Amino acid sequence: MWFNGDVYRTYREANVPEALTRCGEHRCVRLVTKVLNGAWIDTRNLIVDLSARTVTRVG
């Protein structure tokens, strides 16, 4: 498995879930995953709040 993350910015989203309103103050990332030498795994709807140690599904 290959993992990467991209900073989750609430101002880019139309409807921010209540659980993610502190992103920006908290460290939040959007998870990106791929099987090595294989297919992408669609995890774009999972946001990890590293500060609160929680995962929230968006969309």
Side-chain angles (χ1 to χ4, degrees), residues 1-2 33-41:
M1 295 290 293
W2 174 85
T33 56
K34 184 177 188 300
V35 176
L36 288 176
N37 300 317
W40 289 93
I41 301 170

Side-chain angles (χ1 to χ4, degrees), residues 16-27:
V16 177
E18 180 73 27
L20 298 175
T21 57
R22 296 192 69 189
C23 288
E25 177 184 338
H26 283 192
R27 300 166 299 139

Side-chain angles (χ1 to χ4, degrees), residues 4-47:
N4 198 4
D6 185 25
V7 176
Y8 177 75
R9 302 181 195 279
T10 56
Y11 65 83
R12 293 181 182 171
E13 303 293 327
N15 298 316
V16 177
E18 180 73 27
L20 298 175
T21 57
R22 296 192 69 189
C23 288
E25 177 184 338
H26 283 192
R27 300 166 299 139
C28 297
V29 296
R30 185 180 303 265
L31 186 62
V32 180
T33 56
K34 184 177 188 300
V35 176
L36 288 176
N37 300 317
W40 289 93
I41 301 170
D42 189 4
T43 56
R44 292 174 292 176
N45 64 340
L46 298 178
I47 307 301

